[in-house]
Amino acid sequence: MKYESVIGLEVHAQLLTDSKLFCTCSTKFGSGPNTQVCPVCLGLPGVLPVLNRRSVEYAVKMALAVNCRVNEKSVFARKNYFYPDLPKGYQISQYTEPLAEHGYLDIDTNGGKRIGITRIHMEEDAGKLIHGEGPEDAGSSFVDLNWAGVPLIEIVSEPDMRSADEAQAYLKSLRDILVYLEICSGNMEEGSFRCDANVSIRPVGAEKLGTKAELKNMNSFKFVKEAIEYEIERQIDVVESGGKVVQETRLFDSARGITASMRSKEEAHDYRYFPDPDLLPLVVSAGLIEEQRRTLPELPEAKRERFIKDYSIPAYDAGVLTASKDLANYYEEVVKATNEPKVSSNWVMGELLRLLKEDGRDVKDCAVTPASIAGLIEMIKNGEISGKMAKEVFEEMYKTGKAPREIVKSKGMAQISNEDELSRIIDGVIAGNPDNFARYKAGRVQLFGFFVGETMKATKGQANPQVINKLLKDKLEK
Ligand code: ADP
Ligand code: MG
Ligand code: ZN
């Protein structure tokens, strides 16, 4: 282990505003190409951008959630470059004076670590290029400008991460916060949440940072990890064989699991940043910041800690249950009704999540209500059904949305716990097996299991095992 890896992430998050950053076009995802465009986002001459207030509120919300200082004044700048998905020939971004700075986020790998957040700035998204692959359009490219002008925030970290795992944990945590705040869908496959990873290596103990490569094109958490791991190994190989890492942008090829050079890294001066003369400096009032601070929801980390403390559930459970705000709310509803935090966690985390995962659904779209899970737990507690029956009932609840009691009734599943009834059945079993009864009496106590089994058979598996055990002990020992 002669080398240490150093990673800093630049994360782009599309904000869930109804309209674009500087025009009133819709940001709805999945509409027909170029149906959500206007002269402003098409970059036609003579138009003027008007800033979307909601996007500023969202950006401030995120800045506060990750402990940034929000600058009273920030400045929109033009970042000039030519690309077919950028009709204006420049992107409106922020450069020397960003919206927010000096934040941090705590991640919980290896006992916890604080990752610095350098800055959060606002900018507009570019359009989308679609490269033809069919027999007729191979070699052609198409541009969809529905995305041009959608509001983004870019969250730039300090080079504080030291492994692909830390980078992944940081990224997941950022995404969870954005989704909790309800300001970004967090969807990596759709590109609403994207990440560029800057990776370098240096000899262990060295102060000076090594030359970094910037990795792009990673549209899942798994790929981010794979790309970084590959890149660290690649750079070590380069240095070990006497070469030098060059500053460049590399693309991750997920099919081959490697990164390949795309272009040498551009420098800030290539973009000729300058303040956009069409936009006044953005002044964020103390009132707006206070309003956003006041309405910040409980964030994932705080919720996780509260679950551990208030419900005395393991950290693992708390982590799973707070992975989404909807799931956490759902769980809390169940607990409110049952007053049994751990048992509730077992059902929500176990059976419910298992079934949801199987058909790729979200807890929001689930037919089982918290009240009906609570009802099921109650029935087990009362001995009305066994744990095994409950699982069967639960699957039915999941499929049909019916209440547990209704299912138990219609399937004739109720557990027999009535002592008089079971006592009669056991008497019958003993009378029907005089030989085994005699052997038991003569000392073959292993035959106890035989009598349990026969009673279960006689009740089609519906007898309450605890009650059988107790009754059988009485009767056999008598
Ligand atoms: P650039 O101007 O090339 O975009 P920045 O200084 O803006 O570089 O940094 C971009 C990102 O790269 C930040 O997240 C930062 O933490 C990270 N970074 C900077 N230098 C290094 C390095 N030597 N190794 C790894 N990451 C780095
Ligand atoms: Mg940069
Ligand atoms: Zn528009």
Side-chain angles (χ1 to χ4, degrees):
M1 290 302 290
K2 276 164 58 193
Y3 298 96
E4 171 180 66
S5 49
V6 174
I7 301 148
L9 299 186
E10 293 165 288
V11 173
H12 285 93
Q14 274 189 341
L15 299 177
L16 284 173
T17 53
D18 292 334
S19 55
K20 293 187 182 178
L21 187 56
F22 297 115
C23 62
T24 56
C25 289
S26 168
T27 56
K28 199 166 144 265
F29 186 82
S31 307
N34 300 306
T35 53
Q36 295 169 176
V37 293
C38 75
V40 175
C41 54
L42 287 174
L44 302 189
V47 293
L48 285 174
V50 176
L51 181 61
N52 176 335
R53 182 186 172 92
R54 182 60 47 83
S55 66
V56 178
E57 293 170 358
Y58 284 1
V60 167
K61 215 184 252 306
M62 184 57 181
L64 296 174
V66 292
N67 314 290
C68 282
R69 194 187 75 205
V70 178
N71 292 325
E72 192 192 336
K73 185 188 128 196
S74 58
V75 173
F76 285 104
R78 290 188 181 180
K79 179 179 183 180
N80 298 281
Y81 66 96
F82 173 81
Y83 212 63
D85 61 9
L86 190 77
K88 292 200 296 291
Y90 60 86
Q91 176 195 27
I92 304 178
S93 181
Q94 295 184 318
Y95 184 54
T96 50
E97 296 177 77
L99 179 81
E101 292 168 280
H102 309 299
Y104 63 84
L105 179 62
D106 293 327
I107 56 171
D108 60 4
T109 48
N110 307 325
K113 178 167 181 179
R114 178 159 291 186
I115 307 298
I117 290 177
T118 317
R119 55 189 270 147
I120 296 182
H121 63 255
M122 302 181 66
E123 61 187 28
E124 55 180 353
D125 210 343
K128 199 159 44 191
L129 286 177
I130 298 139
H131 304 290
E133 285 168 350
E136 271 137 51
D137 57 12
S140 305
S141 288
F142 305 87
V143 64
D144 179 2
L145 294 172
N146 284 356
W147 271 23
V150 167
L152 290 177
I153 49 176
E154 179 172 345
I155 305 158
V156 182
S157 85
E158 290 290 304
D160 284 348
M161 288 153 273
R162 294 289 173 271
S163 68
D165 283 328
E166 285 185 5
Q168 201 187 34
Y170 166 82
L171 193 63
K172 278 194 171 147
S173 183
L174 267 192
R175 204 228 359 214
D176 286 351
I177 293 171
L178 286 161
V179 174
Y180 260 63
L181 294 175
E182 297 176 12
I183 61 173
C184 173
S185 75
N187 193 322
M188 276 185 109
E189 289 75 30
E190 288 176 2
S192 308
F193 180 78
R194 324 193 275 267
C195 161
D196 300 335
N198 297 274
V199 178
S200 66
I201 56 163
R202 63 182 171 189
V204 168
E207 280 273 329
K208 195 165 167 287
L209 292 176
T211 303
K212 69 176 158 53
E214 184 178 348
L215 311 182
K216 285 188 183 293
N217 207 31
M218 303 163 293
N219 61 359
S220 76
F221 287 105
K222 186 168 151 265
F223 291 159
V224 169
K225 186 168 141 113
E226 282 177 22
I228 294 173
E229 276 169 353
Y230 175 87
E231 182 60 19
I232 292 168
E233 288 306 312
R234 186 192 71 84
Q235 291 185 11
I236 291 173
D237 282 350
V238 168
V239 173
E240 290 280 273
S241 56
K244 263 197 171 137
V245 174
V246 292
Q247 176 143 331
E248 62 184 353
T249 302
R250 300 178 69 87
L251 283 186
F252 180 60
D253 178 343
S254 59
R256 296 164 67 200
I258 64 168
T259 67
S261 182
M262 177 171 89
R263 56 168 188 245
S264 66
K265 170 78 188 174
E266 68 286 352
E267 306 281 343
H269 60 248
D270 295 330
Y271 291 119
R272 294 229 166 261
Y273 281 99
F274 66 86
D276 192 311
D278 288 342
L279 287 157
L280 289 168
L282 170 60
V283 175
V284 181
S285 71
L288 190 151
I289 297 173
E290 256 340 284
E291 176 66 14
Q292 293 313 311
R293 198 189 299 283
R294 205 174 51 74
T295 54
L296 273 185
E298 182 179 37
L299 294 174
E301 196 193 340
K303 207 183 270 292
R304 197 162 48 238
E305 275 162 23
R306 179 169 63 80
F307 276 24
I308 295 171
K309 194 167 140 277
D310 289 3
Y311 299 135
S312 305
I313 53 173
Y316 176 79
D317 293 35
V320 174
L321 294 168
T322 55
S324 92
K325 197 154 76 174
D326 289 326
L327 185 65
N329 290 344
Y330 188 102
Y331 168 71
E332 291 207 273
E333 289 290 311
V334 179
V335 177
K336 226 185 272 163
T338 59
N339 219 358
E340 296 266 8
K342 180 56 184 159
V343 179
S344 302
S345 163
N346 291 347
W347 279 96
V348 174
M349 225 174 63
E351 293 304 294
L352 180 67
L353 279 192
R354 179 177 66 77
L355 293 176
L356 285 173
K357 203 167 168 187
E358 263 173 31
D359 40 58
R361 277 164 61 185
D362 194 88
V363 68
K364 278 203 301 293
D365 327 308
C366 166
V368 184
T369 63
S372 58
I373 291 201
L376 184 71
I377 293 172
E378 195 62 31
M379 292 178 79
I380 306 167
K381 221 167 105 185
N382 296 341
E384 291 171 72
I385 52 172
S386 67
K388 198 161 150 256
M389 287 174 190
K391 289 203 172 153
E392 209 183 314
V393 175
F394 187 77
E395 298 224 352
E396 198 64 24
M397 285 161 64
Y398 183 83
K399 269 189 240 146
T400 63
K402 286 191 186 144
R405 199 166 291 282
E406 197 182 329
I407 294 166
V408 167
K409 207 163 154 199
S410 71
K411 293 204 157 193
M413 276 177 117
Q415 179 167 255
I416 306 168
S417 298
N418 181 303
E419 292 202 9
D420 293 340
E421 190 179 348
L422 284 179
S423 185
R424 265 195 307 280
I425 294 169
I426 291 173
D427 288 345
V429 168
I430 292 175
N433 295 280
D435 295 355
N436 277 340
F437 182 61
R439 280 194 207 112
Y440 184 93
K441 284 297 202 189
R444 291 275 311 259
V445 288
Q446 308 91 301
L447 282 168
F448 192 82
F450 164 81
F451 287 102
V452 173
E454 288 301 300
T455 312
M456 274 297 180
K457 240 189 259 166
T459 60
K460 301 197 178 68
Q462 295 186 352
N464 180 327
Q466 269 119 17
V467 180
I468 303 186
N469 268 305
K470 177 174 154 274
L471 293 176
L472 265 177
K473 249 185 212 130
D474 289 352
K475 290 179 193 288
L476 294 176
E477 303 301 331
K478 207 163 54 190

Short mmCIF file of all heavy atoms in Angstrom, two decimals, residues 5-9 107 113 115-116 157-163 166-168 170-171:
data_model
loop_
_atom_site.label_atom_id
_atom_site.label_comp_id
_atom_site.label_asym_id
_atom_site.label_seq_id
_atom_site.Cartn_x
_atom_site.Cartn_y
_atom_site.Cartn_z
N SER A 5 -5.32 7.13 -2.48
CA SER A 5 -6.13 7.74 -3.53
C SER A 5 -6.87 8.95 -2.96
O SER A 5 -7.22 8.97 -1.78
CB SER A 5 -7.11 6.73 -4.12
OG SER A 5 -7.78 6.06 -3.09
N VAL A 6 -7.09 9.93 -3.80
CA VAL A 6 -7.76 11.17 -3.40
C VAL A 6 -8.90 11.42 -4.37
O VAL A 6 -8.70 11.37 -5.59
CB VAL A 6 -6.77 12.36 -3.44
CG1 VAL A 6 -7.48 13.67 -3.16
CG2 VAL A 6 -5.64 12.13 -2.44
N ILE A 7 -10.08 11.65 -3.83
CA ILE A 7 -11.25 11.79 -4.70
C ILE A 7 -12.07 13.02 -4.30
O ILE A 7 -12.31 13.26 -3.12
CB ILE A 7 -12.16 10.53 -4.59
CG1 ILE A 7 -11.36 9.29 -5.00
CG2 ILE A 7 -13.41 10.66 -5.47
CD1 ILE A 7 -11.75 8.04 -4.28
N GLY A 8 -12.47 13.78 -5.29
CA GLY A 8 -13.40 14.89 -5.08
C GLY A 8 -14.52 14.75 -6.10
O GLY A 8 -14.28 14.38 -7.24
N LEU A 9 -15.77 15.02 -5.68
CA LEU A 9 -16.89 14.82 -6.59
C LEU A 9 -17.57 16.13 -6.98
O LEU A 9 -17.71 17.04 -6.16
CB LEU A 9 -17.95 13.91 -5.96
CG LEU A 9 -17.54 12.49 -5.58
CD1 LEU A 9 -18.77 11.70 -5.11
CD2 LEU A 9 -16.88 11.76 -6.72
N ILE A 107 -20.34 11.45 6.59
CA ILE A 107 -20.73 10.12 6.09
C ILE A 107 -20.37 9.11 7.16
O ILE A 107 -19.55 9.40 8.03
CB ILE A 107 -20.03 9.77 4.75
CG1 ILE A 107 -18.51 9.85 4.89
CG2 ILE A 107 -20.53 10.68 3.64
CD1 ILE A 107 -17.77 9.31 3.68
N LYS A 113 -16.95 10.20 9.00
CA LYS A 113 -15.96 11.09 8.42
C LYS A 113 -16.67 12.32 7.86
O LYS A 113 -17.78 12.21 7.35
CB LYS A 113 -15.24 10.34 7.30
CG LYS A 113 -14.22 11.19 6.60
CD LYS A 113 -13.31 10.35 5.73
CE LYS A 113 -12.30 11.28 5.08
NZ LYS A 113 -11.37 10.57 4.23
N ILE A 115 -16.91 15.23 5.11
CA ILE A 115 -16.46 15.59 3.77
C ILE A 115 -16.81 17.06 3.53
O ILE A 115 -17.97 17.47 3.66
CB ILE A 115 -17.17 14.73 2.69
CG1 ILE A 115 -17.05 13.23 3.00
CG2 ILE A 115 -16.64 15.06 1.30
CD1 ILE A 115 -15.65 12.68 3.02
N GLY A 116 -15.81 17.84 3.19
CA GLY A 116 -16.03 19.26 2.96
C GLY A 116 -16.77 19.51 1.65
O GLY A 116 -16.57 18.79 0.66
N SER A 157 -17.38 19.01 -4.05
CA SER A 157 -16.78 18.63 -2.76
C SER A 157 -15.31 18.99 -2.71
O SER A 157 -14.66 19.19 -3.74
CB SER A 157 -16.92 17.12 -2.53
OG SER A 157 -15.85 16.43 -3.16
N GLU A 158 -14.76 19.02 -1.53
CA GLU A 158 -13.32 19.08 -1.33
C GLU A 158 -12.75 17.71 -1.70
O GLU A 158 -13.49 16.71 -1.67
CB GLU A 158 -13.02 19.38 0.13
CG GLU A 158 -13.39 20.80 0.57
CD GLU A 158 -12.48 21.84 -0.06
OE1 GLU A 158 -11.24 21.73 0.10
OE2 GLU A 158 -13.00 22.75 -0.75
N PRO A 159 -11.46 17.66 -2.02
CA PRO A 159 -10.87 16.33 -2.32
C PRO A 159 -10.62 15.56 -1.03
O PRO A 159 -9.50 15.24 -0.68
CB PRO A 159 -9.55 16.70 -3.03
CG PRO A 159 -9.22 18.08 -2.56
CD PRO A 159 -10.50 18.76 -2.21
N ASP A 160 -11.69 15.23 -0.33
CA ASP A 160 -11.59 14.66 1.02
C ASP A 160 -11.81 13.16 1.08
O ASP A 160 -11.66 12.55 2.13
CB ASP A 160 -12.64 15.32 1.94
CG ASP A 160 -12.23 16.72 2.34
OD1 ASP A 160 -11.05 17.09 2.11
OD2 ASP A 160 -13.08 17.45 2.89
N MET A 161 -12.21 12.56 -0.05
CA MET A 161 -12.50 11.13 0.02
C MET A 161 -11.25 10.33 -0.32
O MET A 161 -10.43 10.78 -1.12
CB MET A 161 -13.67 10.80 -0.90
CG MET A 161 -14.98 11.32 -0.32
SD MET A 161 -16.24 11.69 -1.55
CE MET A 161 -15.85 13.37 -1.97
N ARG A 162 -11.12 9.17 0.30
CA ARG A 162 -9.89 8.39 0.15
C ARG A 162 -10.13 7.00 -0.44
O ARG A 162 -9.21 6.20 -0.52
CB ARG A 162 -9.19 8.26 1.51
CG ARG A 162 -8.68 9.58 2.08
CD ARG A 162 -7.47 10.10 1.29
NE ARG A 162 -7.08 11.44 1.71
CZ ARG A 162 -7.58 12.56 1.17
NH1 ARG A 162 -8.44 12.50 0.17
NH2 ARG A 162 -7.19 13.74 1.60
N SER A 163 -11.36 6.71 -0.80
CA SER A 163 -11.64 5.41 -1.41
C SER A 163 -12.93 5.50 -2.20
O SER A 163 -13.74 6.41 -1.99
CB SER A 163 -11.78 4.32 -0.34
OG SER A 163 -12.95 4.56 0.41
N GLU A 166 -15.92 5.48 0.13
CA GLU A 166 -16.25 6.77 0.73
C GLU A 166 -16.98 7.65 -0.29
O GLU A 166 -17.95 8.34 0.05
CB GLU A 166 -15.00 7.49 1.23
CG GLU A 166 -14.45 6.90 2.51
CD GLU A 166 -13.27 7.68 3.09
OE1 GLU A 166 -12.92 8.76 2.55
OE2 GLU A 166 -12.70 7.20 4.08
N ALA A 167 -16.51 7.61 -1.53
CA ALA A 167 -17.15 8.43 -2.56
C ALA A 167 -18.60 7.98 -2.75
O ALA A 167 -19.52 8.80 -2.86
CB ALA A 167 -16.38 8.32 -3.88
N GLN A 168 -18.79 6.68 -2.74
CA GLN A 168 -20.14 6.15 -2.93
C GLN A 168 -21.05 6.53 -1.75
O GLN A 168 -22.20 6.93 -1.94
CB GLN A 168 -20.06 4.63 -3.08
CG GLN A 168 -21.27 4.06 -3.76
CD GLN A 168 -21.25 2.54 -3.76
OE1 GLN A 168 -20.78 1.91 -2.82
NE2 GLN A 168 -21.78 1.95 -4.81
N TYR A 170 -20.74 9.10 0.23
CA TYR A 170 -21.00 10.54 0.15
C TYR A 170 -22.10 10.82 -0.87
O TYR A 170 -23.05 11.57 -0.63
CB TYR A 170 -19.70 11.26 -0.23
CG TYR A 170 -19.87 12.69 -0.68
CD1 TYR A 170 -20.00 13.73 0.25
CD2 TYR A 170 -19.91 13.02 -2.04
CE1 TYR A 170 -20.16 15.05 -0.16
CE2 TYR A 170 -20.07 14.33 -2.46
CZ TYR A 170 -20.19 15.34 -1.51
OH TYR A 170 -20.36 16.64 -1.93
N LEU A 171 -21.96 10.18 -2.02
CA LEU A 171 -22.91 10.40 -3.11
C LEU A 171 -24.32 9.94 -2.71
O LEU A 171 -25.31 10.63 -2.97
CB LEU A 171 -22.42 9.63 -4.34
CG LEU A 171 -23.07 9.96 -5.66
CD1 LEU A 171 -22.79 11.41 -6.04
CD2 LEU A 171 -22.55 9.03 -6.76
#
